[in-house]
Amino acid sequence: MKVVAVLNEKGGCGKTTIATNLARGLQLEGLDVMLVDSDVQGSARDWGAVETDFDKPAVIGMDRPTLHKDIPKVAEGSDIVVIDGAARAEKMQTSAIKASDLVLIPVQPSAYDIWSSETVVDLVQARREIAGKPEAAFVISRQIVGTNLAGEAQEALESFDLPVLEGRTAQRVIYTEAASQGRSVLDVDSSSKAADEVRSIVKDTLAIFDIQTAKANGTAR
């Protein structure tokens, strides 16, 4: 079982959008996925509670700083667990990092978001010194199409000595529409630009984990 946490100190940076779409995208690759909502706002739980005509990843709520102890107990049998992280909650973030093999840090292409990511980066680096993991990478989130801000943000993020995923999201109405329907953008319109963005993030995540999916050859490891 692999665990990926989507974390940033700042609210409104697209954590839940990335977490829910990533979880569904991984499921569509043939993996058994569990989505853990660790934010007291419960947005991922709300998404999971909306009925659909297909089975989504199981969504459970865990809003106590014991994720690293609790996830192995409840996610036995899952291939991947995706944690939708809590903002402005250092103890929760620390627990999520302890539980994780990979931390994805969504940042909007703005100085405020880049600055706010320092807290999570510091927590990840502190954990690495103790345990040698998790892996970590930035995900540029909610970029404005037609601007150069994302490129400028990538240059700024490279100073943190962490990779920046090729996959990134843009500000598109379809993300909001999909969330309100309890779906991913892949379900709403698999040919959309947003769906391509999510598939790219899924691909990057699988590559980091070196996972061969069931969709590719009938097995998952």
Side-chain angles (χ1 to χ4, degrees):
M1 180 182 72
K2 298 293 186 180
V3 180
V4 51
V6 185
L7 298 175
N8 199 327
E9 177 71 12
K10 187 175 181 295
C13 63
K15 290 190 303 297
T16 300
T17 295
I18 290 174
T20 53
N21 281 275
L22 174 60
R24 176 62 174 150
L26 290 167
Q27 184 190 41
L28 289 171
E29 288 292 323
L31 298 169
D32 189 320
V33 182
M34 175 176 286
L35 177 59
V36 172
D37 186 349
S38 69
D39 195 323
V40 292
Q41 289 186 344
S43 297
R45 277 168 278 184
D46 292 339
W47 175 84
V50 179
E51 291 188 8
T52 57
D53 55 1
F54 57 87
D55 291 330
K56 291 181 285 191
V59 183
I60 63 171
M62 290 186 179
D63 50 17
R64 294 184 179 180
T66 53
L67 295 171
H68 55 295
K69 297 178 181 179
D70 298 336
I71 285 176
K73 299 175 184 177
V74 302
E76 187 176 353
S78 298
D79 295 313
I80 293 187
V81 175
V82 178
I83 302 173
D84 180 19
R88 296 179 292 274
E90 186 171 320
K91 288 183 179 180
M92 286 296 299
Q93 291 171 354
T94 298
S95 182
I97 290 167
K98 286 182 179 179
S100 297
D101 301 289
L102 169 65
V103 174
L104 297 181
I105 308 170
V107 286
Q108 294 185 89
S110 75
Y112 298 112
D113 276 61
I114 293 170
W115 294 335
S116 72
S117 68
E118 291 185 24
T119 299
V120 173
V121 172
D122 289 345
L123 291 173
V124 167
Q125 291 175 340
R127 181 60 182 171
R128 279 178 166 179
E129 291 177 1
I130 297 171
K133 66 173 191 176
E135 298 286 334
F138 290 107
V139 186
I140 293 178
S141 171
R142 302 180 67 185
Q143 66 179 354
I144 301 173
V145 177
T147 70
N148 295 323
L149 292 174
E152 295 171 2
Q154 179 151 344
E155 291 181 7
L157 291 170
E158 287 172 354
S159 67
F160 286 99
D161 197 29
L162 289 178
V164 181
L165 295 192
E166 290 186 15
R168 56 191 61 187
T169 67
Q171 290 192 26
R172 304 186 191 278
V173 173
I174 189 173
Y175 283 109
T176 303
E177 293 175 341
S180 67
Q181 298 171 23
R183 300 171 180 266
S184 73
V185 294
L186 297 163
D187 303 306
V188 174
D189 185 353
S190 63
S191 64
S192 65
K193 291 181 179 179
D196 287 341
E197 292 167 357
V198 170
R199 278 190 287 265
S200 184
I201 295 171
V202 169
K203 180 181 178 182
D204 290 343
T205 301
L206 292 173
I208 291 171
F209 284 147
D210 191 25
I211 290 178
Q212 185 71 40
T213 66
K215 188 175 181 180
N217 72 348
T219 62
R221 62 176 177 83

PDB file of all heavy atoms in Angstrom, residues 20-51:
ATOM      1  N   THR A  20      -9.473  14.687  -4.729  1.00  0.00           N
ATOM      2  CA  THR A  20     -10.623  13.917  -5.217  1.00  0.00           C
ATOM      3  C   THR A  20     -10.413  13.453  -6.654  1.00  0.00           C
ATOM      4  O   THR A  20     -10.696  12.305  -7.006  1.00  0.00           O
ATOM      5  CB  THR A  20     -11.923  14.729  -5.115  1.00  0.00           C
ATOM      6  OG1 THR A  20     -11.762  15.996  -5.766  1.00  0.00           O
ATOM      7  CG2 THR A  20     -12.315  14.961  -3.662  1.00  0.00           C
ATOM      8  N   ASN A  21      -9.904  14.337  -7.501  1.00  0.00           N
ATOM      9  CA  ASN A  21      -9.683  13.960  -8.899  1.00  0.00           C
ATOM     10  C   ASN A  21      -8.544  12.952  -9.034  1.00  0.00           C
ATOM     11  O   ASN A  21      -8.616  12.035  -9.861  1.00  0.00           O
ATOM     12  CB  ASN A  21      -9.403  15.200  -9.745  1.00  0.00           C
ATOM     13  CG  ASN A  21     -10.672  15.956 -10.093  1.00  0.00           C
ATOM     14  OD1 ASN A  21     -11.354  15.633 -11.069  1.00  0.00           O
ATOM     15  ND2 ASN A  21     -11.008  16.958  -9.297  1.00  0.00           N
ATOM     16  N   LEU A  22      -7.501  13.107  -8.209  1.00  0.00           N
ATOM     17  CA  LEU A  22      -6.411  12.141  -8.227  1.00  0.00           C
ATOM     18  C   LEU A  22      -6.897  10.770  -7.778  1.00  0.00           C
ATOM     19  O   LEU A  22      -6.571   9.742  -8.403  1.00  0.00           O
ATOM     20  CB  LEU A  22      -5.278  12.624  -7.317  1.00  0.00           C
ATOM     21  CG  LEU A  22      -4.104  11.659  -7.110  1.00  0.00           C
ATOM     22  CD1 LEU A  22      -3.416  11.326  -8.427  1.00  0.00           C
ATOM     23  CD2 LEU A  22      -3.098  12.251  -6.110  1.00  0.00           C
ATOM     24  N   ALA A  23      -7.681  10.746  -6.697  1.00  0.00           N
ATOM     25  CA  ALA A  23      -8.190   9.463  -6.192  1.00  0.00           C
ATOM     26  C   ALA A  23      -9.031   8.752  -7.247  1.00  0.00           C
ATOM     27  O   ALA A  23      -8.874   7.549  -7.500  1.00  0.00           O
ATOM     28  CB  ALA A  23      -9.003   9.690  -4.917  1.00  0.00           C
ATOM     29  N   ARG A  24      -9.921   9.493  -7.886  1.00  0.00           N
ATOM     30  CA  ARG A  24     -10.768   8.890  -8.921  1.00  0.00           C
ATOM     31  C   ARG A  24      -9.924   8.483 -10.133  1.00  0.00           C
ATOM     32  O   ARG A  24     -10.146   7.415 -10.719  1.00  0.00           O
ATOM     33  CB  ARG A  24     -11.858   9.885  -9.325  1.00  0.00           C
ATOM     34  CG  ARG A  24     -12.752   9.429 -10.472  1.00  0.00           C
ATOM     35  CD  ARG A  24     -13.540   8.170 -10.144  1.00  0.00           C
ATOM     36  NE  ARG A  24     -14.480   7.878 -11.223  1.00  0.00           N
ATOM     37  CZ  ARG A  24     -14.890   6.656 -11.556  1.00  0.00           C
ATOM     38  NH1 ARG A  24     -14.477   5.590 -10.870  1.00  0.00           N
ATOM     39  NH2 ARG A  24     -15.731   6.471 -12.550  1.00  0.00           N
ATOM     40  N   GLY A  25      -8.950   9.306 -10.496  1.00  0.00           N
ATOM     41  CA  GLY A  25      -8.090   8.967 -11.622  1.00  0.00           C
ATOM     42  C   GLY A  25      -7.291   7.702 -11.372  1.00  0.00           C
ATOM     43  O   GLY A  25      -7.134   6.855 -12.269  1.00  0.00           O
ATOM     44  N   LEU A  26      -6.784   7.546 -10.169  1.00  0.00           N
ATOM     45  CA  LEU A  26      -6.055   6.327  -9.819  1.00  0.00           C
ATOM     46  C   LEU A  26      -6.978   5.115  -9.841  1.00  0.00           C
ATOM     47  O   LEU A  26      -6.592   4.027 -10.281  1.00  0.00           O
ATOM     48  CB  LEU A  26      -5.417   6.482  -8.439  1.00  0.00           C
ATOM     49  CG  LEU A  26      -4.254   7.465  -8.348  1.00  0.00           C
ATOM     50  CD1 LEU A  26      -3.919   7.770  -6.884  1.00  0.00           C
ATOM     51  CD2 LEU A  26      -3.022   6.925  -9.061  1.00  0.00           C
ATOM     52  N   GLN A  27      -8.215   5.313  -9.377  1.00  0.00           N
ATOM     53  CA  GLN A  27      -9.187   4.221  -9.416  1.00  0.00           C
ATOM     54  C   GLN A  27      -9.467   3.788 -10.853  1.00  0.00           C
ATOM     55  O   GLN A  27      -9.573   2.588 -11.144  1.00  0.00           O
ATOM     56  CB  GLN A  27     -10.495   4.661  -8.737  1.00  0.00           C
ATOM     57  CG  GLN A  27     -11.533   3.547  -8.660  1.00  0.00           C
ATOM     58  CD  GLN A  27     -12.885   4.074  -8.201  1.00  0.00           C
ATOM     59  OE1 GLN A  27     -13.315   5.141  -8.618  1.00  0.00           O
ATOM     60  NE2 GLN A  27     -13.542   3.324  -7.334  1.00  0.00           N
ATOM     61  N   LEU A  28      -9.579   4.758 -11.746  1.00  0.00           N
ATOM     62  CA  LEU A  28      -9.840   4.438 -13.152  1.00  0.00           C
ATOM     63  C   LEU A  28      -8.660   3.724 -13.808  1.00  0.00           C
ATOM     64  O   LEU A  28      -8.808   3.134 -14.878  1.00  0.00           O
ATOM     65  CB  LEU A  28     -10.182   5.710 -13.923  1.00  0.00           C
ATOM     66  CG  LEU A  28     -11.558   6.321 -13.603  1.00  0.00           C
ATOM     67  CD1 LEU A  28     -11.706   7.690 -14.242  1.00  0.00           C
ATOM     68  CD2 LEU A  28     -12.677   5.386 -14.063  1.00  0.00           C
ATOM     69  N   GLU A  29      -7.501   3.779 -13.162  1.00  0.00           N
ATOM     70  CA  GLU A  29      -6.346   3.020 -13.635  1.00  0.00           C
ATOM     71  C   GLU A  29      -6.392   1.566 -13.156  1.00  0.00           C
ATOM     72  O   GLU A  29      -5.496   0.781 -13.451  1.00  0.00           O
ATOM     73  CB  GLU A  29      -5.043   3.675 -13.153  1.00  0.00           C
ATOM     74  CG  GLU A  29      -4.717   4.979 -13.849  1.00  0.00           C
ATOM     75  CD  GLU A  29      -4.357   4.783 -15.311  1.00  0.00           C
ATOM     76  OE1 GLU A  29      -3.699   3.783 -15.646  1.00  0.00           O
ATOM     77  OE2 GLU A  29      -4.764   5.630 -16.136  1.00  0.00           O
ATOM     78  N   GLY A  30      -7.432   1.227 -12.398  1.00  0.00           N
ATOM     79  CA  GLY A  30      -7.597  -0.147 -11.943  1.00  0.00           C
ATOM     80  C   GLY A  30      -7.101  -0.419 -10.545  1.00  0.00           C
ATOM     81  O   GLY A  30      -7.023  -1.576 -10.122  1.00  0.00           O
ATOM     82  N   LEU A  31      -6.772   0.643  -9.808  1.00  0.00           N
ATOM     83  CA  LEU A  31      -6.251   0.477  -8.453  1.00  0.00           C
ATOM     84  C   LEU A  31      -7.362   0.588  -7.422  1.00  0.00           C
ATOM     85  O   LEU A  31      -8.368   1.282  -7.637  1.00  0.00           O
ATOM     86  CB  LEU A  31      -5.186   1.531  -8.172  1.00  0.00           C
ATOM     87  CG  LEU A  31      -3.940   1.464  -9.065  1.00  0.00           C
ATOM     88  CD1 LEU A  31      -3.086   2.708  -8.880  1.00  0.00           C
ATOM     89  CD2 LEU A  31      -3.127   0.214  -8.768  1.00  0.00           C
ATOM     90  N   ASP A  32      -7.177  -0.101  -6.314  1.00  0.00           N
ATOM     91  CA  ASP A  32      -8.097   0.006  -5.177  1.00  0.00           C
ATOM     92  C   ASP A  32      -7.662   1.224  -4.365  1.00  0.00           C
ATOM     93  O   ASP A  32      -6.581   1.235  -3.782  1.00  0.00           O
ATOM     94  CB  ASP A  32      -8.034  -1.261  -4.333  1.00  0.00           C
ATOM     95  CG  ASP A  32      -9.107  -1.316  -3.252  1.00  0.00           C
ATOM     96  OD1 ASP A  32      -9.380  -0.256  -2.637  1.00  0.00           O
ATOM     97  OD2 ASP A  32      -9.653  -2.393  -3.009  1.00  0.00           O
ATOM     98  N   VAL A  33      -8.516   2.251  -4.334  1.00  0.00           N
ATOM     99  CA  VAL A  33      -8.136   3.545  -3.756  1.00  0.00           C
ATOM    100  C   VAL A  33      -9.058   3.912  -2.599  1.00  0.00           C
ATOM    101  O   VAL A  33     -10.274   3.747  -2.688  1.00  0.00           O
ATOM    102  CB  VAL A  33      -8.196   4.667  -4.819  1.00  0.00           C
ATOM    103  CG1 VAL A  33      -7.744   6.001  -4.227  1.00  0.00           C
ATOM    104  CG2 VAL A  33      -7.333   4.307  -6.026  1.00  0.00           C
ATOM    105  N   MET A  34      -8.470   4.414  -1.527  1.00  0.00           N
ATOM    106  CA  MET A  34      -9.226   4.992  -0.422  1.00  0.00           C
ATOM    107  C   MET A  34      -8.851   6.467  -0.304  1.00  0.00           C
ATOM    108  O   MET A  34      -7.674   6.823  -0.390  1.00  0.00           O
ATOM    109  CB  MET A  34      -8.946   4.282   0.900  1.00  0.00           C
ATOM    110  CG  MET A  34      -9.624   4.924   2.105  1.00  0.00           C
ATOM    111  SD  MET A  34      -9.377   3.985   3.645  1.00  0.00           S
ATOM    112  CE  MET A  34     -10.479   2.608   3.347  1.00  0.00           C
ATOM    113  N   LEU A  35      -9.854   7.317  -0.114  1.00  0.00           N
ATOM    114  CA  LEU A  35      -9.643   8.747   0.070  1.00  0.00           C
ATOM    115  C   LEU A  35      -9.913   9.093   1.528  1.00  0.00           C
ATOM    116  O   LEU A  35     -10.996   8.821   2.047  1.00  0.00           O
ATOM    117  CB  LEU A  35     -10.568   9.540  -0.853  1.00  0.00           C
ATOM    118  CG  LEU A  35     -10.546  11.063  -0.766  1.00  0.00           C
ATOM    119  CD1 LEU A  35      -9.159  11.619  -1.050  1.00  0.00           C
ATOM    120  CD2 LEU A  35     -11.570  11.664  -1.734  1.00  0.00           C
ATOM    121  N   VAL A  36      -8.922   9.674   2.187  1.00  0.00           N
ATOM    122  CA  VAL A  36      -9.047  10.057   3.596  1.00  0.00           C
ATOM    123  C   VAL A  36      -9.181  11.572   3.678  1.00  0.00           C
ATOM    124  O   VAL A  36      -8.301  12.305   3.224  1.00  0.00           O
ATOM    125  CB  VAL A  36      -7.828   9.592   4.411  1.00  0.00           C
ATOM    126  CG1 VAL A  36      -7.883  10.157   5.832  1.00  0.00           C
ATOM    127  CG2 VAL A  36      -7.765   8.068   4.453  1.00  0.00           C
ATOM    128  N   ASP A  37     -10.279  12.029   4.253  1.00  0.00           N
ATOM    129  CA  ASP A  37     -10.513  13.458   4.444  1.00  0.00           C
ATOM    130  C   ASP A  37     -10.085  13.821   5.861  1.00  0.00           C
ATOM    131  O   ASP A  37     -10.733  13.437   6.833  1.00  0.00           O
ATOM    132  CB  ASP A  37     -11.998  13.767   4.238  1.00  0.00           C
ATOM    133  CG  ASP A  37     -12.305  15.257   4.268  1.00  0.00           C
ATOM    134  OD1 ASP A  37     -11.425  16.050   4.653  1.00  0.00           O
ATOM    135  OD2 ASP A  37     -13.437  15.644   3.904  1.00  0.00           O
ATOM    136  N   SER A  38      -8.985  14.566   5.980  1.00  0.00           N
ATOM    137  CA  SER A  38      -8.479  14.932   7.303  1.00  0.00           C
ATOM    138  C   SER A  38      -8.796  16.372   7.669  1.00  0.00           C
ATOM    139  O   SER A  38      -8.326  16.866   8.700  1.00  0.00           O
ATOM    140  CB  SER A  38      -6.961  14.705   7.371  1.00  0.00           C
ATOM    141  OG  SER A  38      -6.276  15.625   6.547  1.00  0.00           O
ATOM    142  N   ASP A  39      -9.577  17.048   6.840  1.00  0.00           N
ATOM    143  CA  ASP A  39      -9.942  18.446   7.071  1.00  0.00           C
ATOM    144  C   ASP A  39     -11.301  18.507   7.761  1.00  0.00           C
ATOM    145  O   ASP A  39     -12.261  17.862   7.314  1.00  0.00           O
ATOM    146  CB  ASP A  39     -10.002  19.191   5.734  1.00  0.00           C
ATOM    147  CG  ASP A  39     -10.006  20.707   5.903  1.00  0.00           C
ATOM    148  OD1 ASP A  39     -10.628  21.188   6.873  1.00  0.00           O
ATOM    149  OD2 ASP A  39      -9.401  21.394   5.068  1.00  0.00           O
ATOM    150  N   VAL A  40     -11.393  19.268   8.826  1.00  0.00           N
ATOM    151  CA  VAL A  40     -12.652  19.349   9.572  1.00  0.00           C
ATOM    152  C   VAL A  40     -13.777  19.926   8.724  1.00  0.00           C
ATOM    153  O   VAL A  40     -14.962  19.716   9.023  1.00  0.00           O
ATOM    154  CB  VAL A  40     -12.487  20.198  10.857  1.00  0.00           C
ATOM    155  CG1 VAL A  40     -11.586  19.488  11.838  1.00  0.00           C
ATOM    156  CG2 VAL A  40     -11.969  21.591  10.535  1.00  0.00           C
ATOM    157  N   GLN A  41     -13.448  20.653   7.651  1.00  0.00           N
ATOM    158  CA  GLN A  41     -14.497  21.176   6.775  1.00  0.00           C
ATOM    159  C   GLN A  41     -15.237  20.056   6.054  1.00  0.00           C
ATOM    160  O   GLN A  41     -16.393  20.215   5.679  1.00  0.00           O
ATOM    161  CB  GLN A  41     -13.897  22.134   5.747  1.00  0.00           C
ATOM    162  CG  GLN A  41     -13.432  23.458   6.345  1.00  0.00           C
ATOM    163  CD  GLN A  41     -12.969  24.430   5.284  1.00  0.00           C
ATOM    164  OE1 GLN A  41     -12.703  24.059   4.144  1.00  0.00           O
ATOM    165  NE2 GLN A  41     -12.865  25.685   5.657  1.00  0.00           N
ATOM    166  N   GLY A  42     -14.570  18.935   5.847  1.00  0.00           N
ATOM    167  CA  GLY A  42     -15.223  17.750   5.294  1.00  0.00           C
ATOM    168  C   GLY A  42     -15.612  17.842   3.834  1.00  0.00           C
ATOM    169  O   GLY A  42     -16.537  17.143   3.408  1.00  0.00           O
ATOM    170  N   SER A  43     -14.920  18.636   3.045  1.00  0.00           N
ATOM    171  CA  SER A  43     -15.306  18.807   1.635  1.00  0.00           C
ATOM    172  C   SER A  43     -15.180  17.512   0.841  1.00  0.00           C
ATOM    173  O   SER A  43     -16.037  17.202  -0.001  1.00  0.00           O
ATOM    174  CB  SER A  43     -14.450  19.899   0.985  1.00  0.00           C
ATOM    175  OG  SER A  43     -14.663  21.137   1.609  1.00  0.00           O
ATOM    176  N   ALA A  44     -14.128  16.742   1.098  1.00  0.00           N
ATOM    177  CA  ALA A  44     -13.973  15.473   0.386  1.00  0.00           C
ATOM    178  C   ALA A  44     -15.058  14.482   0.801  1.00  0.00           C
ATOM    179  O   ALA A  44     -15.555  13.712  -0.019  1.00  0.00           O
ATOM    180  CB  ALA A  44     -12.592  14.880   0.647  1.00  0.00           C
ATOM    181  N   ARG A  45     -15.443  14.528   2.075  1.00  0.00           N
ATOM    182  CA  ARG A  45     -16.534  13.666   2.524  1.00  0.00           C
ATOM    183  C   ARG A  45     -17.844  14.059   1.853  1.00  0.00           C
ATOM    184  O   ARG A  45     -18.641  13.199   1.470  1.00  0.00           O
ATOM    185  CB  ARG A  45     -16.677  13.738   4.045  1.00  0.00           C
ATOM    186  CG  ARG A  45     -15.728  12.826   4.809  1.00  0.00           C
ATOM    187  CD  ARG A  45     -15.695  13.116   6.290  1.00  0.00           C
ATOM    188  NE  ARG A  45     -14.793  14.236   6.590  1.00  0.00           N
ATOM    189  CZ  ARG A  45     -14.508  14.669   7.791  1.00  0.00           C
ATOM    190  NH1 ARG A  45     -15.073  14.093   8.853  1.00  0.00           N
ATOM    191  NH2 ARG A  45     -13.669  15.668   7.975  1.00  0.00           N
ATOM    192  N   ASP A  46     -18.069  15.355   1.701  1.00  0.00           N
ATOM    193  CA  ASP A  46     -19.269  15.813   0.993  1.00  0.00           C
ATOM    194  C   ASP A  46     -19.259  15.314  -0.446  1.00  0.00           C
ATOM    195  O   ASP A  46     -20.285  14.878  -0.977  1.00  0.00           O
ATOM    196  CB  ASP A  46     -19.345  17.343   1.010  1.00  0.00           C
ATOM    197  CG  ASP A  46     -19.599  17.909   2.401  1.00  0.00           C
ATOM    198  OD1 ASP A  46     -20.095  17.161   3.264  1.00  0.00           O
ATOM    199  OD2 ASP A  46     -19.298  19.094   2.611  1.00  0.00           O
ATOM    200  N   TRP A  47     -18.101  15.389  -1.083  1.00  0.00           N
ATOM    201  CA  TRP A  47     -17.963  14.898  -2.455  1.00  0.00           C
ATOM    202  C   TRP A  47     -18.294  13.409  -2.520  1.00  0.00           C
ATOM    203  O   TRP A  47     -19.026  12.959  -3.393  1.00  0.00           O
ATOM    204  CB  TRP A  47     -16.535  15.156  -2.935  1.00  0.00           C
ATOM    205  CG  TRP A  47     -16.198  14.610  -4.285  1.00  0.00           C
ATOM    206  CD1 TRP A  47     -16.439  15.207  -5.494  1.00  0.00           C
ATOM    207  CD2 TRP A  47     -15.539  13.367  -4.576  1.00  0.00           C
ATOM    208  NE1 TRP A  47     -15.968  14.411  -6.522  1.00  0.00           N
ATOM    209  CE2 TRP A  47     -15.411  13.274  -5.979  1.00  0.00           C
ATOM    210  CE3 TRP A  47     -15.041  12.325  -3.786  1.00  0.00           C
ATOM    211  CZ2 TRP A  47     -14.814  12.183  -6.610  1.00  0.00           C
ATOM    212  CZ3 TRP A  47     -14.453  11.241  -4.417  1.00  0.00           C
ATOM    213  CH2 TRP A  47     -14.339  11.180  -5.811  1.00  0.00           C
ATOM    214  N   GLY A  48     -17.767  12.661  -1.571  1.00  0.00           N
ATOM    215  CA  GLY A  48     -17.997  11.228  -1.570  1.00  0.00           C
ATOM    216  C   GLY A  48     -19.437  10.846  -1.274  1.00  0.00           C
ATOM    217  O   GLY A  48     -19.902   9.790  -1.701  1.00  0.00           O
ATOM    218  N   ALA A  49     -20.142  11.723  -0.553  1.00  0.00           N
ATOM    219  CA  ALA A  49     -21.519  11.414  -0.157  1.00  0.00           C
ATOM    220  C   ALA A  49     -22.528  11.626  -1.275  1.00  0.00           C
ATOM    221  O   ALA A  49     -23.666  11.144  -1.194  1.00  0.00           O
ATOM    222  CB  ALA A  49     -21.918  12.258   1.048  1.00  0.00           C
ATOM    223  N   VAL A  50     -22.150  12.350  -2.320  1.00  0.00           N
ATOM    224  CA  VAL A  50     -23.063  12.575  -3.439  1.00  0.00           C
ATOM    225  C   VAL A  50     -23.200  11.278  -4.232  1.00  0.00           C
ATOM    226  O   VAL A  50     -22.207  10.691  -4.666  1.00  0.00           O
ATOM    227  CB  VAL A  50     -22.547  13.704  -4.370  1.00  0.00           C
ATOM    228  CG1 VAL A  50     -23.505  13.892  -5.546  1.00  0.00           C
ATOM    229  CG2 VAL A  50     -22.407  15.001  -3.597  1.00  0.00           C
ATOM    230  N   GLU A  51     -24.430  10.824  -4.429  1.00  0.00           N
ATOM    231  CA  GLU A  51     -24.658   9.561  -5.134  1.00  0.00           C
ATOM    232  C   GLU A  51     -24.336   9.709  -6.617  1.00  0.00           C
ATOM    233  O   GLU A  51     -24.670  10.712  -7.251  1.00  0.00           O
ATOM    234  CB  GLU A  51     -26.100   9.108  -4.947  1.00  0.00           C
ATOM    235  CG  GLU A  51     -26.437   8.671  -3.526  1.00  0.00           C
ATOM    236  CD  GLU A  51     -27.811   8.044  -3.426  1.00  0.00           C
ATOM    237  OE1 GLU A  51     -28.439   7.807  -4.485  1.00  0.00           O
ATOM    238  OE2 GLU A  51     -28.266   7.800  -2.298  1.00  0.00           O
TER     239      GLU A  51
END
